[in-house]
């Protein structure tokens, strides 16, 4: 009888182990380090003094921001084209030690001037620096929109964090470069605003704020624009993939002045598996519309071999997937021209912080505004169970 019991018990153990092994393998291959945001909560606002002069330099035009966890400092790039001072980034302290951002919780620490390959400052009008991303080598990458009207090319360059000196330049695919015919390339002031690096420091991403001329229309009231996300391999410093990102259509509200602008000013890599936060910003004639989206490259088509979306039926191209996380108009906050975002430190409760910052355009009617949020990241195992069991609730 004992022999018969062993014969029947053994398969039962196998049947029990098989699903455990399968679940373990699926969970392992599910990229346990991938990040998805389940909720986002507002935890405070701060503003810099208008017209603030620090180190003999006016602080303003902040278009991008990145965080250094080693020293709990932030580096914020100014898009001043050399009119107020040479191209530069500011180092800032933002105090989240209490789990929230208080009214005066931001302090300038230093100003770093960017120097070209000849260790000279950039000439006025030569740059329109919009994005900044920190590496693990005490350097930052900075993106410039260039000036399409003057045929000044956009760039992505690496600079020393300490000296501001240029170290390397990434090559820009020709399809992005403006030309005399005005038939291709970036649109003026609608180019590389965004910049982000994956946590493993293997890939850098930027995106056009609106469509390339040969890809479609710029954003208009009730009409979005097909942008391109550009992926670089930082191991060989070469561009390798591109993806279609469609901005949302925005309806103006009481647009008495007739001005409208909308686009993609920043991206933030959340993990190494192609998940991002994206920031869409619109000026609607009566204030700003700001939205945060969770973005995934999963199943999106690589379009780097397509020079013109208008030359093909791009309705068949699979764009990146987007999910609205937050429409900031629902906050009880007067929004300014938000253009940059970065993850900050872990908060005292263990949750991840997020910082957004505005470009005041050196305009006395605008502010350098900092908004802080708390992100709740969904556990990968819970996420897996939700996909396997759609009706699963915790």
């Amino acid at each position: 009888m004992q022999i018969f019991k062993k014969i029947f018990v053994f398969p039962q153990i196998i049947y029990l182990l098989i699903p455990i092994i399968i679940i373990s393998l699926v969970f392992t291959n599910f990229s346990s380090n991938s990040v998805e945001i389940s909720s986002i909560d507002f935890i405070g606002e701060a503003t810099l003094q208008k017209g603030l002069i620090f180190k003999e330099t006016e602080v303003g035009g902040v278009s991008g921001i990145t965080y250094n966890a080693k020293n709990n400092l932030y580096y914020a790039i100014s898009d001043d084209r050399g009119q107020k001072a040479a191209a530069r980034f500011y180092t800032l302290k933002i105090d989240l030690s209490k789990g929230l951002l208080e009214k005066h919780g931001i302090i300038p620490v230093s100003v770093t001037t960017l120097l070209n390959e000849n260790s000279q400052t950039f000439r006025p009008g030569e740059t329109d620096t919009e994005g900044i991303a920190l590496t693990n080598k005490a350097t930052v990458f900075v993106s410039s929109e260039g000036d399409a009207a003057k045929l000044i090319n956009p760039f992505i360059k690496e600079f020393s964090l300490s000296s501001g000196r240029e170290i390397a330049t990434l090559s820009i695919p020709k399809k992005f470069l403006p030309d005399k015919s005005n038939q291709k390339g970036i649109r003026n002031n609608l180019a590389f605003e965004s910049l982000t690096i994956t946590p493993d420091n293997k890939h850098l991403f930027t995106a056009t704020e609106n469509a390339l001329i040969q890809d479609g229309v710029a954003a208009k009231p009730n009409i979005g624009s097909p942008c391109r996300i550009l992926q670089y391999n930082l191991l060989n410093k070469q561009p390798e993939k591109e993806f279609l990102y469609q901005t949302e259509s925005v309806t103006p509200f009481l647009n008495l002045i007739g001005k409208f602008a909308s686009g993609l000013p920043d991206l933030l890599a959340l993990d190494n598996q192609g998940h991002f936060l994206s920031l869409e910003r619109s000026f609607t004639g009566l204030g700003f519309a700001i939205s945060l989206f969770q973005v995934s490259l999963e199943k999106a088509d690589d379009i780097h071999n397509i020079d013109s979306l208008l030359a093909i039926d791009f309705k068949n191209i699979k764009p990146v997937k987007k999910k609205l996380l937050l429409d900031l108009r629902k906050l009880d906050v007067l929004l300014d021209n938000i253009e940059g975002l970065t993850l900050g430190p872990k908060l005292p409760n263990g949750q991840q912080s997020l910082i957004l910052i505005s470009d005041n355009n050196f305009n006395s009617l605008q502010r350098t505004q900092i908004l802080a949020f708390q992100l709740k990241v969904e556990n990968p195992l819970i996420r897996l169970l939700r996909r396997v069991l759609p009706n699963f609730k915790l």
Side-chain angles (χ1 to χ4, degrees), residues 97-162:
S97 60
K98 296 180 182 178
L100 51 85
L101 177 60
E102 296 181 322
K103 186 176 181 181
H104 301 292
I106 177 170
I107 301 172
V109 175
S110 64
V111 180
T112 303
T113 300
L114 299 180
L115 304 175
N116 63 21
E117 58 187 352
N118 299 317
S119 296
Q120 302 294 317
T121 57
F122 290 91
R123 298 188 303 273
E126 187 179 2
T127 66
D128 181 10
T129 47
E130 299 278 359
I132 187 168
L134 180 69
T135 75
N136 61 351
K137 301 182 298 181
T139 65
V140 288
F141 277 94
V142 171
S143 62
S144 170
E145 289 193 294
D147 190 330
K150 297 180 180 179
L151 298 181
I152 297 175
N153 289 336
F155 70 63
I156 302 172
K157 294 178 181 288
E158 185 178 11
F159 296 89
S160 166
L161 193 57
S162 58

Side-chain angles (χ1 to χ4, degrees), residues 165-185:
R165 186 177 59 83
E166 180 182 329
I167 295 173
T169 300
L170 302 185
S171 62
I172 307 294
K174 289 184 178 179
K175 68 170 75 72
F176 292 89
L177 304 181
D179 70 352
K180 294 181 181 179
S181 68
N182 199 35
Q183 297 299 309
K184 75 174 189 71

Side-chain angles (χ1 to χ4, degrees), residues 205-208 226-231 240-246 276 296-304 309 317-320:
F205 292 84
T206 187
T208 57
C227 306
R228 287 190 188 235
I229 294 177
L230 176 54
Q231 174 181 321
E240 57 181 8
K241 293 181 180 180
E242 295 170 25
F243 304 95
L244 174 61
Y245 180 107
Q246 184 71 41
F276 301 82
S296 173
L297 302 184
E298 184 181 359
K299 297 182 181 179
D301 290 330
D302 178 7
I303 60 172
H304 82 276
L309 294 178
I317 292 176
K318 293 180 182 177
V320 302

Side-chain angles (χ1 to χ4, degrees), residues 255-328:
N255 192 356
L256 301 178
I257 61 176
K259 290 186 177 181
F260 179 86
S262 185
L264 172 64
D266 214 354
L267 283 173
L268 176 62
L270 295 172
D271 55 34
N272 305 316
Q273 284 78 40
H275 295 101
F276 301 82
L277 283 180
S278 70
L279 173 67
E280 294 191 26
R281 178 274 325 269
S282 303
F283 177 72
T284 63
L286 186 65
F288 293 91
I290 313 291
S291 295
L292 286 172
F293 294 86
Q294 172 118 3
V295 176
S296 173
L297 302 184
E298 184 181 359
K299 297 182 181 179
D301 290 330
D302 178 7
I303 60 172
H304 82 276
N305 286 323
I306 301 174
D307 288 335
S308 170
L309 294 178
L310 292 177
I312 64 169
D313 185 6
F314 77 90
K315 292 180 181 178
N316 296 322
I317 292 176
K318 293 180 182 177
V320 302
K321 293 189 292 186
K322 294 168 57 183
K323 180 178 73 173
L324 178 64
L325 287 177
L326 180 65
D327 181 342
L328 273 69

Side-chain angles (χ1 to χ4, degrees), residues 60-67 74-79 88-90 92 129-133 143 193-195 265-267 279 337-342 355-359:
V62 176
S63 185
I65 188 168
T66 190
Y67 176 64
Y74 298 79
Y75 309 114
I77 190 74
S78 175
D79 65 0
R88 62 201 178 277
F89 65 84
Y90 311 104
L92 307 173
T129 47
E130 299 278 359
I132 187 168
S143 62
E193 283 240 6
S194 57
L195 204 63
D266 214 354
L267 283 173
L279 173 67
N337 183 32
I338 301 292
E339 289 195 359
L341 77 166
T342 186
I355 292 292
L356 274 61
I357 197 163
S358 74
D359 176 359

